[in-house]
C-alpha cells in the first residue's frame, strides 16, 4: 500500500505540474511527458492494489456468498456495461480526430492552391501554357472545396466536444458503479474485513480518482497540442478536476495550485 500512496502523490504532483505548465507553452511538452510517466505508474499501482485487496478479502472471507443477483454483482455488471460504452465512444472520438486531421489537410491544400493559381491564371501566358481559358472555374472550385472542408471541420470539432463530454460522463459513471460494488462487497463482509483492507480500499479509490483526472488532463493537453489552437479543452478538463477533487483531495496546497493554474489560463472562447 505504501507504493500505491507514493504513486498517488506522484500522480498528483504530475497533475499540478502539468496544470501549471499550461501557462508556459514551452514547458508543456516536458510536463506532459512527466505526466504520462506518472499516469503509467499510477495505473500499474491501481492494478497491483486491486489484486492485493482481492487477495486480502479472499483470505479473511469465511462464508460462501449466496448465488444469484446481489448489490455487488449488479453494480459490477453496470460498471462493465458503462466501461464498454465509454470504450466505444473513445473509438468514435479517435475516428473523429482522424477525420478532422484529413479535412484540415485538404482545406489547407485547397487554400494554398487557390492562392497560387489565382494570380498565375490571371496571366495570358500561363493560361495558354496550361490550356485553360480566362473563364476557368478552377479557382472557384478550390474555394468551394476549402469552404466545404471548413464547415466540415467545425462539425467535427463540435462532435469532438460532445464525444469528450460523453466519454468523461461514462467513465465517471463506471468509476461510481465500481466504487458502489466495492462498497457493497465491503458492507457484506464488514465483520471480517480488516482495518488494513479498508485503508487499502480508501487508498485505491483516491488513487483511481487522481489517476482518472490525470488521464483526462493528459488527453486534453494532447488534443490541444495537436490542434495548435491554445488550451481550451485543457482548461475545461482542469476545471472539472478542480471541482471533482475539491472535496476528495486532502492536499490543500495542491488544490490551491490547481486553482491558481486554472485562473491563470485564458477563458474558453
Amino acid at each position: 500500500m505504501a507504493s500505491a500512496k507514493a504513486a498517488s502523490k506522484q500522480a498528483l504532483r504530475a497533475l499540478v505540474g502539468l496544470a501549471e505548465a499550461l501557462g508556459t507553452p514551452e514547458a508543456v511538452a516536458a510536463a506532459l511527458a512527466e505526466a504520462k510517466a506518472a499516469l503509467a505508474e499510477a495505473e500499474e499501482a491501481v492494478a497491483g492494489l486491486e489484486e492485493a485487496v482481492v487477495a486480502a478479502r479472499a483470505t479473511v472471507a469465511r462464508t460462501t456468498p449466496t448465488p444469484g443477483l446481489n448489490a455487488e454483482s449488479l453494480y459490477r455488471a453496470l460498471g462493465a456495461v458503462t466501461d464498454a460504452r465509454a470504450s466505444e465512444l473513445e473509438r468514435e472520438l479517435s475516428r473523429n480526430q482522424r477525420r478532422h486531421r484529413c479535412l484540415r489537410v485538404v482545406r489547407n491544400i485547397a487554400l494554398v492552391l487557390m492562392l497560387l493559381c489565382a494570380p498565375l491564371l490571371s496571366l495570358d501566358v500561363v493560361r495558354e501554357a496550361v490550356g485553360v481559358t480566362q473563364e476557368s472555374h478552377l479557382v472557384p472550385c478550390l474555394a468551394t472545396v476549402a469552404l466545404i472542408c471548413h464547415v466540415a471541420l467545425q462539425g467535427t470539432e463540435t462532435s469532438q466536444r460532445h464525444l469528450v463530454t460523453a466519454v468523461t460522463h461514462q467513465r465517471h459513471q463506471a468509476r461510481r458503479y465500481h466504487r458502489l460494488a466495492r462498497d457493497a462487497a465491503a458492507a457484506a463482509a464488514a465483520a471480517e474485513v480488516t482495518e488494513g483492507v479498508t485503508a487499502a480500499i480508501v487508498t485505491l479509490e483516491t488513487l483511481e480518482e487522481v489517476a482518472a483526472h490525470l488521464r483526462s488532463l493528459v488527453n486534453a493537453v494532447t488534443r490541444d497540442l495537436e490542434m495548435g489552437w491554445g488550451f481550451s479543452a485543457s482548461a475545461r478538463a482542469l476545471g472539472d478536476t478542480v471541482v471533482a477533487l475539491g472535496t476528495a483531495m486532502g492536499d490543500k496546497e495542491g488544490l490551491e495550485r490547481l486553482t491558481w493554474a486554472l485562473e491563470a489560463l485564458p477563458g474558453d472562447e
Side-chain angles (χ1 to χ4, degrees), residues 38 43 60 75-76 87 92 109 112 123 163 190 198 234 244 257:
E43 290 175 339
V60 300
Y75 285 132
R76 290 197 182 281
S87 297
E92 178 59 28
I109 291 175
V112 170
L123 302 175
L163 285 169
T198 303
S234 303
R257 290 173 64 187

Side-chain angles (χ1 to χ4, degrees), residues 104-120 139 142-143 146:
R104 187 168 55 183
V105 169
V106 173
R107 183 199 61 181
N108 292 342
I109 291 175
L111 288 173
V112 170
L113 289 176
M114 184 175 64
L115 293 174
L116 289 175
C117 292
L120 290 177
V139 173
L142 290 172

Side-chain angles (χ1 to χ4, degrees), residues 75-248:
Y75 285 132
R76 290 197 182 281
L78 288 172
V81 170
T82 309
D83 276 331
R85 289 177 180 171
S87 297
E88 178 58 32
L89 287 171
E90 286 174 342
R91 288 192 291 271
E92 178 59 28
L93 177 59
S94 178
R95 291 191 291 267
N96 186 287
Q97 290 171 340
R98 288 196 295 271
R99 286 193 294 269
H100 185 277
R101 286 192 290 269
C102 291
L103 286 169
R104 187 168 55 183
V105 169
V106 173
R107 183 199 61 181
N108 292 342
I109 291 175
L111 288 173
V112 170
L113 289 176
M114 184 175 64
L115 293 174
L116 289 175
C117 292
L120 290 177
L121 291 179
S122 65
L123 302 175
D124 294 338
V125 63
V126 174
R127 289 199 303 273
E128 291 177 1
V130 298
V132 297
T133 65
Q134 190 171 3
E135 294 77 18
S136 172
H137 298 294
L138 177 60
V139 173
C141 288
L142 290 172
T144 302
V145 170
L147 179 60
I148 292 173
C149 289
H150 181 72
V151 173
L153 279 170
Q154 291 181 327
T156 58
E157 289 165 8
T158 301
S159 298
Q160 281 185 22
R161 288 195 293 270
H162 291 320
L163 285 169
V164 168
T165 300
V167 168
T168 301
H169 175 71
Q170 291 294 321
R171 289 300 184 193
H172 176 75
Q173 285 293 102
R175 291 196 302 274
R176 178 173 174 270
Y177 286 136
H178 290 315
R179 183 162 54 248
L180 288 172
R182 288 194 296 268
D183 291 344
E192 298 176 79
V193 175
T194 64
E195 183 180 349
V197 175
T198 303
I201 292 174
V202 173
T203 301
L204 176 60
E205 291 177 352
T206 301
L207 179 56
E208 284 180 331
E209 188 78 11
V210 173
H213 288 291
L214 178 58
R215 184 186 306 109
S216 176
L217 184 58
V218 165
N219 291 339
V221 172
T222 302
R223 285 194 300 272
D224 282 339
L225 289 176
E226 289 178 354
M227 299 296 181
W229 295 341
F231 295 103
S232 57
S234 303
R236 288 193 295 271
L238 182 55
D240 294 339
T241 298
V242 170
V243 171
L245 296 183
T247 56

